[in-house]
Amino acid sequence: MTSEPETVAELVLARERDHRPGLRFEDRELSHHQVTAAAAARAALLRDLLDARTPRHLGVLLDNTPEYPLWLSAAALAGAAVAGINPTRRGAELARDILHTDCRLLVTERAHLPLLTGLDLPGVRVLVTDTPAYDELLAPYRGAAPEISPDATPAARLLLYFTSGSTGAPKAAVCSQRRLAAAGHSLVRHFGVRPDDVHYVCMPMFHGNAVIADWAPALAAGAGVALRRRFSASGFLPDVRRFGATYFTYVGRAVQYLLATPARADDRAHALRLGFGTEAGAVDARRFEERFGVRLVEGYGSSEGGAAIQRSPGTPDGAVGRAAPGDDLAVLDPGTGKECAAAEFGPGGRLLNGDAAIGELVNRGRSPFEGYWRNAAADAERVRDHGWYWTGDLFYRDAAGYLYFAGRADDRLRVDSENLAAAVIEAILARWEPVAAVAVYAVPDPVAGDQVMAALALRDGVSFDPHAFSEFLLAQGDLGTKMAPRFVRVLSRLPVTATHKVARGVLRGEGFRCTGPGEAGDVWWRPRGGEAYREFTAGDEAGVVGEFRERGREGVLGEG
């Protein structure tokens, strides 16, 4: 039995003589052989452009075009590292990301050049892919023999990808050739990826999900890759059919947006068999399979690689799965470091002891976490105590050992001295048929702690019915008495980040405040002692702000 390649460079080189379709984008198609040859040309160029005396890092500021995976493959062959640069960042923040990761080369396209106008990027050379100058620069290297640099070791850095946080600048997590190759092999085994599969990459490639969970297993199995420049709900099925896609990954609210598209008689006319991702939720996963005939597998893996949970047959609804064999995952109280109590459930699956059961997921065993680039403080926050890896994610665990995701640590709410998890409430509200997407978050309480607020994006053509919403809440047996939203903001679409995760910071910043004259109906509320929701008017807002002022807590509201 042959051993699995330990580096991504070996996986790239293994496709050198493979003339099957390897990469498709819009009307273009490259064979695996052509992909390897194009990567070899770029690797040869890298060896000439990057100084071995400095970190061999290049930034990639591109949409999902063929150049992105070609530069990933080139960096692997050359023993260099790619920093995925987020095109939604602007100005000084964008410059900071490029300079923080010590990029000496920045690969971009004409569409993104305006983002660089006025930025001070000393020592950074910019290559613009869709220009004659780029073609001329590459021309002498075309035909370069594919070869693996001595620097392309298993431990060599290959990815620097930014992880978002609620405070501070994004951190650049390190991923080595060994870890990315191992992730690819693991997913190939877990999902039975075949060489004749086609992986549809519609999530942004500057994010770890698209590269680690979609591109890497395709590379490891010799499967084809089809790219979408940017995610499009309306373009999803046409792409899947055109490319013959069999597998895709998703992050955040992409599944909800797909479900919000008009249903068609041919929704099941495709070859897609599997979707893998996070944050779809059990309700929408069932809806997706019923409508499109595609199974969604909700997984969990911290983007830094520090902990993972495997879903297996028999996993209860709502659970992510159990720890992988050999892993020592625990749900700990962040304050005491002690293990939380096992979850207790009431009628309808209601979590009865959230205060005692919900804690932070911690890997107490060996962790694949490879650190953040030049951020010792962030490393120390993530790995502490006995070398344990603290994920920053909230979970609870049942008596059988199944783990349930309860949100980010920053998404915890404290209502009337009871700790609640936003993800638990979101899963309940997502059952309401008119809802396309939902986000739950904390807004301040005039006295102490938090109140629950929900943002609801409704399906096309549906208006918010406060009476029907109240009736729905009363019918949910697992909705605790503290969980019902006091405030509801109704939107046509939730604000999202570039990776299609809900921009909770935007929602928290808006809070319960009315959005302006004539738009007060966007916010609804249930006054204390009331059961029915009604419009939150400017007069209501003034009254609530007055309560904060009377108690000297107006400062917690921020600017309004």
Side-chain angles (χ1 to χ4, degrees):
M1 181 176 178
T2 59
S3 60
E4 294 174 335
E6 280 195 281
T7 67
V8 174
E10 293 171 272
L11 295 176
V12 173
L13 200 59
R15 305 268 72 83
E16 181 185 4
R17 301 182 187 280
D18 190 339
H19 292 274
R20 296 175 304 117
L23 181 60
R24 296 185 65 184
F25 172 74
E26 297 177 349
D27 296 325
R28 295 175 57 190
E29 181 177 294
L30 297 176
S31 68
H32 288 290
H33 167 76
Q34 289 172 316
V35 169
T36 304
R42 286 157 180 77
L45 174 61
L46 275 180
R47 284 189 280 269
D48 284 350
L49 293 184
L50 293 180
D51 189 339
R53 295 169 296 180
T54 61
R56 296 169 57 80
H57 297 175
L58 63 144
V60 176
L61 177 62
L62 295 170
D63 290 336
N64 288 0
T65 67
E67 290 289 345
Y68 213 122
L70 292 180
W71 279 104
L72 286 173
S73 297
L77 292 174
V82 168
I85 306 300
N86 183 344
T88 67
R89 300 271 282 174
R90 294 292 185 272
E93 291 183 344
L94 178 61
R96 177 263 173 199
D97 291 350
I98 297 167
L99 296 176
H100 171 70
T101 45
D102 291 310
C103 294
R104 296 294 180 264
L105 195 64
L106 180 66
V107 180
T108 189
E109 55 190 309
R110 284 184 293 180
H112 293 320
L113 276 180
L115 300 179
L116 304 178
T117 301
L119 298 190
D120 185 18
L121 299 172
V124 179
R125 179 171 180 174
V126 179
L127 304 185
V128 186
T129 59
D130 47 350
T131 61
Y134 180 75
D135 293 335
E136 292 172 11
L137 182 65
L138 265 178
Y141 298 92
R142 299 191 195 280
E147 58 183 6
I148 299 175
S149 166
D151 296 323
T153 64
R157 288 186 302 278
L158 178 56
L159 298 178
L160 296 168
Y161 53 97
F162 288 98
T163 62
S164 58
S166 60
T167 59
K171 303 178 287 291
V174 174
C175 180
S176 67
Q177 294 227 19
R178 177 189 290 115
R179 182 156 77 88
L180 186 56
H185 294 311
S186 176
L187 288 171
V188 167
R189 292 191 297 270
H190 192 65
F191 292 129
V193 181
R194 305 180 299 261
D196 60 350
D197 278 321
V198 176
H199 285 213
Y200 179 54
V201 182
C202 56
M203 295 290 101
M205 292 193 75
F206 66 78
H207 188 261
N209 166 275
V211 175
I212 297 172
D214 212 343
W215 181 73
L219 185 66
V225 169
L227 300 176
R228 173 84 189 193
R229 179 178 282 276
R230 293 176 186 151
F231 173 75
S232 166
S234 62
F236 181 84
L237 273 184
D239 274 357
V240 164
R241 294 188 183 109
R242 178 158 54 114
F243 297 134
T246 57
Y247 172 104
F248 79 106
T249 60
Y250 59 88
V251 177
R253 302 302 171 187
V255 168
Q256 286 88 342
Y257 296 144
L258 291 170
L259 288 169
T261 59
R264 294 168 49 102
D266 62 351
D267 277 342
R268 288 180 171 232
H270 54 74
L272 201 60
R273 63 182 175 87
L274 179 69
F276 176 50
T278 62
E279 300 180 23
V283 172
D284 281 336
R286 281 195 296 270
R287 289 175 179 169
F288 197 88
E289 185 166 9
E290 289 168 2
R291 177 174 165 184
F292 298 107
V294 179
R295 181 170 66 103
L296 297 185
V297 178
E298 286 277 291
Y300 172 81
S302 68
S303 53
E304 295 89 343
I309 299 171
Q310 291 185 351
R311 187 174 183 87
S312 57
T315 297
D317 282 350
V320 178
R322 284 176 163 144
D327 285 354
D328 184 9
L329 301 186
V331 179
L332 305 183
D333 183 315
T336 65
K338 295 181 179 179
E339 196 153 355
C340 294
E344 299 173 6
F345 301 100
R350 176 185 167 193
L351 179 63
L352 299 177
N353 63 335
D355 213 36
I358 295 174
E360 188 170 343
L361 185 69
V362 178
N363 186 350
R364 300 183 297 193
R366 184 177 179 181
S367 167
F369 175 58
E370 296 174 306
Y372 296 108
W373 180 250
R374 294 189 175 173
N375 197 331
D379 287 345
E381 180 183 353
R382 192 62 69 211
V383 180
R384 54 185 190 268
D385 301 324
H386 311 283
W388 296 350
Y389 177 87
W390 291 72
T391 65
D393 291 322
L394 299 176
F395 275 79
Y396 52 98
R397 188 178 210 155
D398 66 20
Y402 288 102
L403 290 153
Y404 298 72
F405 181 66
R408 293 286 301 168
D410 294 330
D411 294 337
R412 173 173 277 186
L413 303 83
R414 189 160 180 82
V415 180
D416 294 338
S417 299
E418 182 175 334
N419 288 324
L420 305 175
V424 174
I425 305 173
E426 287 174 352
I428 297 171
L429 300 187
R431 300 171 192 156
W432 195 39
E433 188 61 31
V435 166
V438 58
V440 169
Y441 47 99
V443 293
D445 182 88
V447 179
D450 305 316
Q451 298 176 93
V452 180
M453 186 163 185
L456 305 180
L458 303 183
R459 302 185 186 280
D460 290 344
V462 177
S463 299
F464 182 68
D465 184 336
H467 177 73
F469 184 63
S470 297
E471 290 295 312
F472 162 79
L473 294 179
L474 289 172
Q476 307 311 302
D478 55 347
L479 186 74
T481 57
K482 308 291 177 63
M483 294 181 179
R486 185 172 186 206
F487 296 95
V488 175
R489 185 178 293 280
V490 180
L491 303 166
S492 59
R493 189 180 180 94
L494 296 185
V496 294
T497 67
T499 55
H500 301 281
K501 294 186 177 181
V502 174
R504 295 179 190 275
V506 173
L507 294 171
R508 291 191 190 102
E510 293 174 344
F512 52 72
R513 295 185 183 277
C514 301
T515 55
E519 299 181 9
D522 284 349
V523 180
W524 300 75
W525 77 316
R526 186 161 57 179
R528 293 189 187 280
E531 293 186 357
Y533 286 88
R534 64 174 176 81
E535 292 185 14
F536 187 67
T537 67
D540 293 325
E541 180 182 321
V544 172
V545 172
E547 291 184 53
F548 282 87
R549 187 178 297 115
E550 289 173 7
R551 293 171 172 80
R553 279 174 54 81
E554 189 176 9
V556 302
L557 295 176
E559 297 181 3

